[in-house]
Amino acid sequence: MKSKRVGPPDGGYGWVVVASAFFAMGLTGAVLKNIGLFFLDIQSHFGVLTSTTSWVSSTTIAMFHIGAPAASALTLRFSQRVVIVLGGVLCTLGMSLASLDINLPWLYLTLGVLQGTGISFSWVPAISMVNHYFSRWRPIAYAIASSGECVFAIVFSPLFKWLIEMYSWQGALLIIGGLQFNLCVCGALMRPLEATRAPHMNLKESAEDSAAALPPKKKAVFQCGLLKKPELLLYILFAIFAAAGFFTPTLFLVPFANSLGIDKYWPAFILSVMAVADLAGRLFCGWLANMRLLRNLQLLTIVTMLLGVVLLLLPISHNYWSVLVFASIYGFLFGCMVAIHVTSIVDIVSLEGFDSGLGLFMLFRSIGGFLGPPAGGWLVDKANNFSAAFSLSGFCLVTSAVFVVVVDRLIQRRKSVEAAGHQTIHYQGDGETGKIEGLIIAQES
């Protein structure tokens, strides 16, 4: 008896899933990336310190990560489709209620908690769906899907600025909430995969396809036990430091440009250029990862280290063009990092544990995302310039790269031990001639 499907489609309707995830990434990640455009308006409206205003975006980022385990658990319990639709409703509700402009704590609740949770519930299942639909082409499929964040960011940067000037920041939030309601359409296009098995398949094919397919409902449980893996724990430390580093620059880049005397639409244009570079980085690194010239974790170490160095050097910029150059390099390297840092989780916990691993990864990464922006804002208030925030970000990213090196070494050592342990020597002897033949069979780990 043959099964109807053996393993990931690696194409077909999978490309519809990629297209849907592309729009989902744009309506979530691009909005989060451009939230800094509201920073100065909200700060001046309420007349508070930079660090106090930072808690709005910090709460959004934190809830984006904290909601990931719940999103993963709901995905395993129901389906990606249901959770993405729910995320779209929460995003729209958060933006709409935030536009009421009651007080600053109200923004913490609506623009922070509701919007952040909605983004998480839309982002995590979309990423999960792409990874389950593809195996061979997974790196490039994920790169294309995640590039939606960049394409939308290119459009959203000047659009949000224009909306703020035309309708005030309150009206802009209401309109953006309406746009995010399209996440429900993205969710409706996510057709769940059903895990099937073929009895005639050999052991290796059966193991690969079972891991690649979505787990059967009776086994669809959130695996907290993955935290016992030292590789995942170290990768979580990488996530914490990296999140503290790469969320801060997008928040303070526009105010930094304004502090140099650059005003009007030019700061928003810098974000658009950075988004173009981000797009190029994601597609380039996705293609490079698919070439298998370097291991994913090796590639991640290189781009993370370079990203940290660029941020450490960014404060030397003193005019528009130098800021633009550094922002472009930052955007390209950021795109390279984003293209592989999530798919690398598969190398650590396998695809069978990917949903749970992603949820845990995002949950603990919230620590860095929650503390990074306020810490940067506090340094800005103390030093009275934005350079301190970029220096902090660069230091955190360089530190995070060290953990990736250790994770890669542990994984390679584990694979070597498993390969040696799976080698079995079989001897066949001929009783008449006394001839002995040896056969060594090595099974793949």
Side-chain angles (χ1 to χ4, degrees):
M1 178 180 177
K2 295 184 178 181
S3 61
K4 296 181 179 180
R5 186 184 67 79
V6 286
D10 250 334
Y13 193 80
W15 295 115
V16 177
V17 170
V18 170
S20 178
F22 176 91
F23 282 92
M25 295 299 100
L27 293 170
T28 55
V31 172
L32 187 61
K33 183 176 290 186
N34 284 282
I35 205 73
L37 292 172
F38 294 87
F39 188 89
L40 294 177
D41 292 276
I42 293 175
Q43 182 182 14
S44 61
H45 179 75
F46 291 104
V48 294
L49 295 174
T50 302
S51 56
T52 304
T53 311
S54 298
W55 284 106
V56 176
S57 57
S58 182
T59 304
T60 309
I61 295 170
M63 292 308 302
F64 166 50
H65 292 85
I66 293 174
S72 295
L74 289 173
T75 293
L76 292 169
R77 177 64 180 85
F78 301 102
S79 69
Q80 285 91 343
R81 173 181 289 168
V82 173
V83 182
I84 293 174
V85 171
L86 176 60
V89 173
L90 289 175
C91 283
T92 301
L93 188 62
M95 284 293 191
S96 301
L97 293 176
S99 67
L100 297 178
D101 182 25
I102 297 177
N103 50 42
L104 195 56
W106 179 254
L107 290 184
Y108 295 156
L109 175 63
T110 55
L111 193 56
V113 177
L114 287 179
Q115 177 67 200
T117 304
I119 289 176
S120 182
F121 279 25
S122 299
W123 191 90
V124 172
I127 294 301
S128 170
M129 199 61 139
V130 172
N131 278 274
H132 282 294
Y133 257 92
F134 290 87
S135 177
R136 171 179 170 79
W137 300 106
R138 184 179 298 132
I140 192 65
Y142 175 75
I144 293 172
S146 66
S147 66
E149 177 183 326
C150 312
V151 174
F152 275 74
I154 295 170
V155 178
F156 281 174
S157 291
L159 175 62
F160 286 8
K161 192 72 175 178
W162 180 78
L163 288 175
I164 292 171
E165 290 188 357
M166 291 296 296
Y167 304 104
S168 76
W169 64 269
Q170 297 93 334
L173 291 177
L174 182 61
I175 295 172
I176 295 168
L179 290 174
Q180 287 185 306
F181 197 62
N182 287 286
L183 286 167
C184 297
V185 179
C186 296
L189 293 173
M190 295 294 190
R191 180 192 298 168
L193 282 171
E194 293 295 334
T196 55
R197 305 184 73 171
H200 72 281
M201 294 170 58
N202 61 45
L203 180 62
K204 179 180 177 182
E205 290 176 339
S206 178
E208 290 178 350
D209 293 334
S210 296
L214 285 176
K217 288 188 176 180
K218 64 180 181 180
K219 296 183 179 180
V221 293
F222 192 82
Q223 303 174 41
C224 293
L226 291 175
L227 288 174
K228 295 179 181 179
K229 286 181 172 286
E231 298 91 345
L232 183 60
L233 288 176
L234 288 169
Y235 201 64
I236 285 173
L237 288 176
F238 150 75
I240 293 172
F241 279 90
F246 65 61
F247 282 115
T248 304
T250 55
L251 180 63
F252 293 110
L253 186 59
V254 171
F256 175 66
N258 287 328
S259 70
L260 297 177
I262 305 171
D263 49 27
K264 294 295 181 181
Y265 288 93
W266 292 113
F269 180 72
I270 291 175
L271 292 180
S272 295
V273 172
M274 191 167 67
V276 173
D278 186 352
L279 172 62
R282 294 185 192 220
L283 296 178
F284 171 77
C285 205
W287 168 80
L288 187 61
N290 228 85
M291 295 289 289
R292 305 292 197 274
L293 299 176
L294 292 170
R295 295 190 298 272
N296 282 347
L297 292 173
Q298 287 180 319
L299 191 57
L300 181 60
T301 301
I302 295 171
V303 297
T304 303
M305 186 71 71
L306 291 175
L307 185 61
V309 172
V310 168
L311 287 175
L312 288 172
L313 295 176
L314 194 147
I316 69 175
S317 305
H318 294 294
N319 56 62
Y320 172 75
W321 293 108
S322 58
V323 172
L324 187 63
V325 169
F326 276 108
S328 300
I329 300 174
Y330 165 80
F332 180 82
L333 293 172
F334 178 85
C336 290
M337 181 180 177
V338 170
I340 54 176
H341 84 294
V342 169
T343 55
S344 294
I345 297 175
V346 178
D347 300 329
I348 299 173
V349 299
S350 77
L351 187 57
E352 185 179 358
F354 175 76
D355 290 319
S356 300
L358 178 60
L360 293 170
F361 175 84
M362 297 291 290
L363 171 64
F364 288 100
R365 196 174 77 166
S366 65
I367 298 172
F370 190 66
L371 298 178
W378 180 80
L379 288 175
V380 169
D381 289 333
K382 292 295 182 181
N384 200 28
N385 66 69
F386 292 95
S387 300
F390 295 113
S391 298
L392 175 64
S393 298
F395 172 78
C396 289
L397 283 164
V398 171
T399 303
S400 70
V402 177
F403 292 108
V404 183
V405 174
V406 179
V407 172
D408 186 46
R409 292 292 297 273
L410 288 176
I411 290 177
Q412 295 310 308
R413 182 182 300 175
R414 183 190 67 191
K415 288 183 176 180
S416 299
V417 171
E418 289 177 353
H422 282 78
Q423 286 183 346
T424 305
I425 302 179
H426 299 279
Y427 291 101
Q428 294 179 342
D430 191 324
E432 296 180 358
T433 64
K435 182 178 180 182
I436 298 177
E437 296 179 352
L439 176 64
I440 300 178
I441 303 176
Q443 297 179 355
E444 293 184 2
S445 58

